[in-house]
Amino acid sequence: MDIASTARPQLKLRRIHLDTGRENVVVMARRSMALRPDVFRGFSRVELRSNSRTMLATLLLTEDGLVAPDEIGLAEPAFRRFAEPIGTPVTVTPAIAPNSLDAVRAKVQGRSLDDAQIRAIIDDISHYRYSDMEIAAFLISSASYMTSSELLSLSSAMAEAGTKLTWDRPMVVDKHCIGGIPGNRTSMVVVPIVAAHGLMIPKTSSRAITSPAGTADTMEVLARVDLGVDEMKEVVNACHGCLVWGGHVNLSPADDILISVERPLSLDTREQMVASIMSKKIAAGSTHLLIDLPVGPSAKLVTAMDAMRLRKLFEFVGDHFGIAVEVITTDGRQPIGNGIGPVLEAQDVMAVLSNDPAAPKDLREKSLRLAAHLLDYDPELRGGKGYVRARELLDSGAALKQMHKIIDAQGPSGCVADLGTLTADIPAARDGVVEAIDCLRLNRLARTAGAPIDKGAGIKAFKKIGDRVEQGEPLYRIYAFEESQFELAAAGAKADNGYVVGTRDATGNRRR
Amino acid sequence: MDIASTARPQLKLRRIHLDTGRENVVVMARRSMALRPDVFRGFSRVELRSNSRTMLATLLLTEDGLVAPDEIGLAEPAFRRFAEPIGTPVTVTPAIAPNSLDAVRAKVQGRSLDDAQIRAIIDDISHYRYSDMEIAAFLISSASYMTSSELLSLSSAMAEAGTKLTWDRPMVVDKHCIGGIPGNRTSMVVVPIVAAHGLMIPKTSSRAITSPAGTADTMEVLARVDLGVDEMKEVVNACHGCLVWGGHVNLSPADDILISVERPLSLDTREQMVASIMSKKIAAGSTHLLIDLPVGPSAKLVTAMDAMRLRKLFEFVGDHFGIAVEVITTDGRQPIGNGIGPVLEAQDVMAVLSNDPAAPKDLREKSLRLAAHLLDYDPELRGGKGYVRARELLDSGAALKQMHKIIDAQGPSGCVADLGTLTADIPAARDGVVEAIDCLRLNRLARTAGAPIDKGAGIKAFKKIGDRVEQGEPLYRIYAFEESQFELAAAGAKADNGYVVGTRDATGNRRR
């Protein structure tokens, strides 16, 4: 008999409007009438039971009226997940830890896990049975090493924990960039090109977490992105492609949970990145996948060796799951496109699709290159003709037409697409040539200016690496709506604008 | 220029009666007037500044009236540590992570840390600059391996992070048991014997965390234990020894913080245990230390090999810091003494010190053995005479007299020392001989009955390993005060009483 199975006094469910992020948190009065929370000393995890539901949660105690002695308060995510009305009688007992935590502890001690153990861990995590700290224990113990078979098990278990999409086509292509480069909104050019060709490309994207814009944030400037699975399928069937937010499609929900814990810890290991991306692609039913690895001094990958090791991991997992994976390295030394922030990036994308002469060439060229790789998968197309075909679809306006079709199919988002009304031009400190641009710095400044929350906030770059500049000439413009954020961003750019401008001295030798 | 250094609107400090354990937690309204918490998306850590103080904390957002839009709510530990009055204007910015987190990430990636890195980590932890998750990252990454020099750095850094006691005697002895065995209240017999002999033994002990009684909880039945450093020194100078709670003495506060995170994760690695114990002994000024390692099937150490490896670590750290460490293994197959729970254990201790014929012999014998080891440190004593001297001090009543002196010096605790009024005798299921007792099970049952919160709750054992029992004869008695806890404990004991009783069949072979 365990403690939980004995009849216990019941508490009334109360809702507490406290956003505890991902974690289930409940609050009880220290002088609880129904049972003595002292019993829980040493157990911060409790199990809640109503007639129809059970849930594990982390317990906090309160001294005053936040909850009455005969109540139990459920913070936001716990209230939503428990999904019982206010006032429901709830029994609370110290939680029995999920069995899979034994496997986590084994991993912490340095042992490798088998497939069943990893599946059990992911199952418990995706059912919100782990505390954030328990998730951290799994992630951190996996960060120092993960075997090849652990990587496969993790990818597969995460893929199976959520929605699995199936398509009635033999070939479903996808692309993915590991991120970190400002702008770089290639998916929004690649998808219409590839879809216009007739290949199926059901693209789901993330919103920005720590960056000034994700593809989902940028696409939302043009169309609704929070589609469910059925709506997404309708769009793809009508247009061969889509550009939607992954959040409502529920592919690999365990991955979203893991990321929410990795982020505050700044954990970012190769294996976890690969398992995260591949689990989503397996669940999305992709058959052919192109991975974009930008390499540069302020990119996620700094050397070609870093990129090569990551490439091998993607290929290994892809081969195992029968997905044709191609991995290419790209120039990650500077932003791709001129805009940084949702509206500015959407403008870049539409300029490229419209063949606007002022459209950023780097975004056009990179998108064509990526689209070419995907089109080369098409057995109907003569070998090596992918690039020519991609350019043809772009130059002819077919890609733009396809984009409008996708936008119409996804529907209007209702977002305001105005640019920030407060602007500041950030000048070059001296004459010279742009030698380097700090991607992290520009991302941070654009975020400080209000992106992605303010869709029209951000940065528009006027100069790229290799461009000549004169002292006082603007390097970029900051856009913002809110005074305090505008001042912060402008002052931040004044202190460190993220650009390295080299000069030549009288002897013609370059110096910085 | 970083974001934090710019002037920002201020919020009014409010107190939130929410006990968030060890972690600093603050609450802001999602519609905060003074700044937009959206800025903090992706930053769950914030920095608070008043005119005189700064503090790092984890941020939660609320939708309703828990805090007003112009307020910031500080949960209990944050409010206590920030120590500013309600209404104080507070500036909030996204927190810059402590630099030492880079070292934690290096450790997560499998690199070893040097002394300066470990010192920086412990300094930040002991100043509450880490979130629980960040502490977990350090602990978990250290759990899979820790080098010898990391172990020394950790022990030393933790010892230096709090109070350091100094004594004007060349020899300061101490004892420590790694715990896990019910009862086993040897310190309360050993300290009066050793102090009666005249050696200095300033003993600090912990309260129970997950067990039904710690030495501090048990001593509190007899005397006040929450002494500060100066009070403790007075008692030791007057009596040669003391039995106080370590909590107010502030030895190795970083260790207390680490333990609060290890516990919910059930992390319990050898190196962390050794660093934890040795940091407290270094800080306490001990020169001679006896470590008690109980070994048994339900003890913390299951095999002699486990104990040997742990012994070597204690010796290694002791040698490095010039502490004479002796490590002995003891019988950890069953409870030591009959009582489990503060009052019952205090009765055992006083029975042994009073030479009561009914006193538990195992507690007496083990205490004499430990005291003998400590007395043998005395250069004045003839080699090997420690045991005889210890027995002489106990049998003559000198130890009892010394105990009363210590109790008087520490003063009355005001605790009620009554035994639980609800009792149940748990009977043997059949005739036979007690072959094993599950220490974990008895600890849990005693805790379920109310110990250590109810000092008079717990278990009194009537039978030990090797004792004959008849079917229906009581194995032990449960004591409790509160009806629901009593019923839980009694039902739990009925389902699994923790005793293995072996029988002999007709052929004389033993079977279970």
Side-chain angles (χ1 to χ4, degrees):
Chain A
M1 194 214 69
D2 64 47
I3 293 174
S5 64
T6 307
R8 272 189 170 273
Q10 294 189 312
L11 299 169
K12 282 184 294 190
L13 190 158
R14 175 167 178 170
R15 178 179 190 173
I16 305 256
H17 288 276
L18 190 65
D19 181 355
T20 54
R22 189 210 65 77
E23 187 157 15
N24 290 334
V25 173
V26 298
V27 181
M28 279 170 58
R30 198 181 291 283
R31 299 166 189 286
S32 180
M33 283 162 56
L35 59 94
R36 304 194 310 174
D38 287 335
V39 175
F40 297 101
R41 205 166 74 160
F43 301 89
S44 66
R45 299 283 289 166
V46 294
E47 181 172 309
L48 275 59
R49 294 187 183 206
S50 67
N51 279 337
S52 55
R53 304 186 66 86
T54 68
M55 185 173 73
L56 297 186
T58 295
L59 173 67
L60 300 181
L61 298 181
T62 180
E63 301 282 359
D64 66 358
L66 194 57
V67 294
D70 63 342
E71 291 176 329
I72 179 158
L74 276 63
E76 278 310 319
F79 180 78
R80 202 174 60 239
R81 290 187 195 121
F82 200 54
E84 290 275 30
I86 291 164
T88 301
V90 175
T91 307
V92 188
T93 52
I96 314 283
N99 285 334
S100 67
L101 274 176
D102 289 341
V104 171
R105 279 189 282 272
K107 182 78 185 156
V108 168
Q109 305 281 339
R111 290 197 284 282
S112 299
L113 302 183
D114 65 24
D115 193 62
Q117 288 173 311
I118 289 180
R119 266 168 216 288
I121 290 169
I122 293 300
D123 184 63
D124 282 331
I125 287 176
S126 59
H127 287 91
Y128 303 99
R129 295 189 199 111
Y130 272 35
S131 69
D132 280 354
M133 269 228 271
E134 290 160 350
I135 294 172
F138 173 62
L139 287 171
I140 294 160
S141 63
S142 305
S144 55
Y145 83 98
M146 193 184 282
T147 67
S148 303
S149 67
E150 285 178 327
L151 172 57
L152 295 178
S153 297
L154 183 60
S155 304
S156 164
M158 290 206 296
E160 277 159 33
T163 305
K164 289 200 85 170
L165 298 178
T166 51
W167 307 96
D168 55 2
R169 291 269 204 114
M171 181 177 290
V172 177
V173 306
D174 205 347
K175 72 161 283 284
H176 189 91
C177 176
I178 62 164
I181 307 302
N184 198 30
R185 213 44 68 208
T186 57
S187 291
M188 288 173 65
V189 180
V190 170
V191 167
I193 294 175
V194 171
H197 178 73
L199 284 184
M200 183 177 276
I201 182 162
K203 180 91 188 85
T204 62
S205 303
S206 54
R207 291 188 186 278
I209 297 171
T210 55
S211 75
T215 293
D217 302 304
T218 302
M219 184 65 187
E220 200 173 32
V221 172
L222 308 172
R224 197 181 138 225
V225 296
D226 54 346
L227 281 66
V229 172
D230 293 340
E231 293 174 304
M232 172 186 168
K233 286 200 152 192
E234 264 178 50
V235 173
V236 173
N237 287 332
C239 310
H240 307 303
C242 66
L243 282 155
V244 306
W245 177 43
H248 273 198
V249 186
N250 200 37
L251 303 173
S252 191
D255 180 50
D256 298 337
I257 296 171
L258 293 184
I259 286 175
S260 73
V261 176
E262 282 164 11
R263 184 167 19 103
L265 289 173
S266 303
L267 284 179
D268 205 357
T269 66
R270 287 197 307 273
E271 285 80 2
Q272 279 161 6
M273 183 193 284
V274 170
S276 160
I277 293 168
M278 293 305 288
S279 70
K280 290 216 146 108
K281 302 308 175 187
I282 296 165
S286 309
T287 62
H288 294 71
L289 174 62
L290 178 66
I291 303 274
D292 170 13
L293 304 183
V295 177
S298 56
K300 287 191 182 175
L301 299 171
V302 175
T303 69
M305 178 64 86
D306 295 339
M308 199 262 287
R309 289 159 73 182
L310 190 55
R311 172 170 68 81
K312 303 238 174 206
L313 286 179
F314 275 113
E315 291 167 350
F316 169 72
V317 176
D319 287 353
H320 183 84
F321 291 101
I323 298 177
V325 172
E326 190 177 4
V327 181
I328 60 170
T329 56
T330 57
D331 182 352
R333 293 175 303 149
Q334 59 180 336
I336 300 290
N338 302 329
I340 307 170
V343 171
L344 288 158
E345 295 177 23
Q347 290 180 347
D348 279 355
V349 164
M350 294 313 290
V352 169
L353 287 171
S354 310
N355 297 303
D356 183 335
K361 291 194 175 44
D362 54 354
L363 178 61
R364 173 186 159 95
E365 276 312 312
K366 182 169 178 181
S367 301
L368 282 174
R369 184 180 165 207
L370 298 176
H373 277 281
L374 291 173
L375 295 184
D376 275 331
Y377 284 134
D378 181 3
E380 309 280 306
L381 208 63
R382 192 172 173 86
K385 291 291 179 197
Y387 185 85
V388 173
R389 175 69 174 143
R391 202 176 51 195
E392 185 182 295
L393 290 162
L394 182 59
D395 290 349
S396 68
L400 178 63
K401 197 174 147 201
Q402 197 71 21
M403 184 62 159
H404 282 303
K405 201 170 160 188
I406 292 170
I407 290 171
D408 289 347
Q410 293 188 190
S413 69
C415 279
V416 178
D418 296 342
L419 267 183
T421 47
L422 302 170
T423 62
D425 284 2
I426 305 303
R430 57 177 170 188
D431 297 353
V433 174
V434 176
E435 292 188 346
I437 300 177
D438 183 341
C439 293
L440 293 171
R441 184 71 194 156
L442 292 195
N443 273 341
R444 169 169 281 217
L445 289 171
R447 211 177 150 89
T448 303
I453 312 293
D454 293 337
K455 288 203 181 281
I459 284 176
K460 181 167 187 170
F462 304 127
K463 300 291 176 185
K464 290 292 186 72
I465 290 174
D467 287 348
R468 288 220 141 262
V469 296
E470 285 173 28
Q471 187 180 346
E473 192 183 5
L475 298 169
Y476 53 85
R477 182 171 297 159
I478 294 175
Y479 293 85
F481 288 98
E482 209 228 335
E483 191 74 39
S484 73
Q485 293 190 283
F486 175 67
E487 280 165 20
L488 269 174
K494 202 173 157 191
D496 173 7
N497 62 32
Y499 273 61
V500 176
V501 176
T503 59
R504 286 173 199 277
D505 63 18
T507 65
N509 292 321
R510 211 167 60 174
R511 69 167 186 223
R512 299 191 2 189
Chain B
M1 194 213 70
D2 65 48
I3 294 175
S5 62
T6 308
R8 273 192 169 271
Q10 294 189 312
L11 299 169
K12 281 184 294 189
L13 190 158
R14 176 166 174 170
R15 179 179 190 172
I16 305 256
H17 289 276
L18 189 65
D19 181 355
T20 54
R22 188 210 65 77
E23 187 157 14
N24 290 335
V25 172
V26 298
V27 181
M28 279 169 58
R30 198 181 291 283
R31 298 167 189 284
S32 180
M33 284 162 54
L35 58 98
R36 305 193 310 174
D38 287 335
V39 175
F40 298 101
R41 205 167 72 161
F43 302 88
S44 66
R45 299 283 289 167
V46 293
E47 180 173 310
L48 277 58
R49 293 186 184 205
S50 68
N51 279 336
S52 54
R53 303 184 67 85
T54 68
M55 184 172 73
L56 296 186
T58 295
L59 173 68
L60 300 180
L61 297 181
T62 180
E63 301 281 358
D64 67 356
L66 194 57
V67 294
D70 63 342
E71 291 177 328
I72 179 158
L74 275 63
E76 278 308 322
F79 180 79
R80 202 174 61 239
R81 289 185 196 124
F82 200 54
E84 291 275 29
I86 291 164
T88 301
V90 176
T91 306
V92 189
T93 52
I96 315 282
N99 286 334
S100 66
L101 274 176
D102 289 340
V104 171
R105 280 190 282 271
K107 181 78 185 157
V108 168
Q109 304 282 339
R111 290 197 285 283
S112 298
L113 302 184
D114 64 24
D115 192 62
Q117 289 173 311
I118 290 180
R119 266 170 217 286
I121 291 168
I122 293 301
D123 184 61
D124 282 332
I125 288 176
S126 58
H127 287 91
Y128 303 100
R129 295 188 201 111
Y130 272 35
S131 71
D132 280 356
M133 270 228 270
E134 290 161 349
I135 295 172
F138 173 63
L139 287 171
I140 294 159
S141 63
S142 305
S144 55
Y145 82 97
M146 192 183 282
T147 67
S148 303
S149 67
E150 286 178 326
L151 172 57
L152 295 178
S153 296
L154 183 61
S155 305
S156 163
M158 291 205 296
E160 277 159 31
T163 306
K164 289 200 84 169
L165 298 177
T166 51
W167 306 97
D168 54 0
R169 290 271 204 118
M171 181 177 289
V172 177
V173 306
D174 205 347
K175 74 163 281 284
H176 189 91
C177 176
I178 62 164
I181 307 302
N184 198 29
R185 213 44 69 208
T186 56
S187 292
M188 288 173 63
V189 180
V190 170
V191 167
I193 294 176
V194 171
H197 177 72
L199 285 184
M200 183 177 276
I201 182 163
K203 181 92 186 83
T204 63
S205 304
S206 55
R207 291 190 186 278
I209 298 172
T210 55
S211 75
T215 294
D217 302 303
T218 303
M219 185 65 187
E220 200 173 31
V221 173
L222 308 173
R224 198 184 138 222
V225 295
D226 54 347
L227 281 64
V229 172
D230 292 340
E231 292 174 305
M232 172 187 169
K233 286 200 150 188
E234 262 177 52
V235 173
V236 173
N237 287 332
C239 310
H240 307 305
C242 67
L243 282 155
V244 304
W245 178 43
H248 273 199
V249 185
N250 200 37
L251 302 174
S252 192
D255 179 51
D256 298 336
I257 296 171
L258 293 182
I259 287 174
S260 73
V261 175
E262 282 165 11
R263 184 170 17 105
L265 289 172
S266 303
L267 284 179
D268 207 355
T269 66
R270 290 198 306 272
E271 284 80 2
Q272 280 162 4
M273 183 194 285
V274 170
S276 159
I277 293 169
M278 293 305 287
S279 70
K280 291 215 147 111
K281 301 308 176 188
I282 296 165
S286 308
T287 62
H288 293 72
L289 174 62
L290 178 67
I291 303 275
D292 171 12
L293 304 182
V295 177
S298 56
K300 287 190 181 175
L301 299 171
V302 176
T303 69
M305 177 65 84
D306 295 338
M308 199 263 286
R309 290 159 73 184
L310 191 55
R311 170 170 69 80
K312 303 240 174 201
L313 285 180
F314 276 114
E315 291 168 350
F316 169 71
V317 176
D319 286 352
H320 183 83
F321 291 100
I323 299 177
V325 172
E326 189 177 6
V327 182
I328 60 170
T329 56
T330 58
D331 183 352
R333 295 175 303 149
Q334 60 178 335
I336 301 291
N338 302 330
I340 307 171
V343 170
L344 288 157
E345 294 178 23
Q347 290 179 346
D348 279 356
V349 164
M350 294 312 290
V352 169
L353 287 171
S354 310
N355 298 303
D356 182 335
K361 291 195 175 41
D362 54 355
L363 179 61
R364 171 184 159 95
E365 276 311 313
K366 181 170 177 181
S367 302
L368 282 173
R369 184 180 162 206
L370 298 177
H373 278 281
L374 291 174
L375 295 183
D376 275 332
Y377 284 134
D378 181 3
E380 310 279 306
L381 207 64
R382 194 173 172 84
K385 291 293 178 196
Y387 186 86
V388 173
R389 174 68 176 146
R391 199 173 57 196
E392 186 182 295
L393 289 163
L394 182 58
D395 289 350
S396 67
L400 178 64
K401 197 174 147 201
Q402 197 72 18
M403 183 63 156
H404 282 304
K405 201 170 161 189
I406 292 170
I407 291 170
D408 289 346
Q410 293 188 193
S413 70
C415 280
V416 178
D418 295 344
L419 267 184
T421 47
L422 303 169
T423 62
D425 283 1
I426 305 304
R430 58 177 170 190
D431 296 355
V433 173
V434 176
E435 290 187 348
I437 301 178
D438 183 341
C439 292
L440 293 171
R441 185 72 193 153
L442 292 194
N443 272 342
R444 169 169 280 218
L445 290 171
R447 210 175 151 90
T448 303
I453 313 290
D454 294 337
K455 288 201 181 281
I459 284 175
K460 181 168 188 170
F462 302 129
K463 300 291 176 183
K464 291 292 187 72
I465 291 175
D467 286 349
R468 289 219 140 265
V469 296
E470 285 174 28
Q471 187 181 345
E473 192 184 4
L475 298 169
Y476 54 85
R477 181 171 297 160
I478 293 174
Y479 293 85
F481 288 99
E482 209 229 335
E483 192 74 36
S484 74
Q485 294 191 283
F486 174 68
E487 279 165 20
L488 269 175
K494 202 173 158 190
D496 173 5
N497 61 33
Y499 272 61
V500 177
V501 175
T503 58
R504 288 171 196 280
D505 64 16
T507 65
N509 293 322
R510 211 167 58 171
R511 70 166 185 227
R512 300 190 1 186

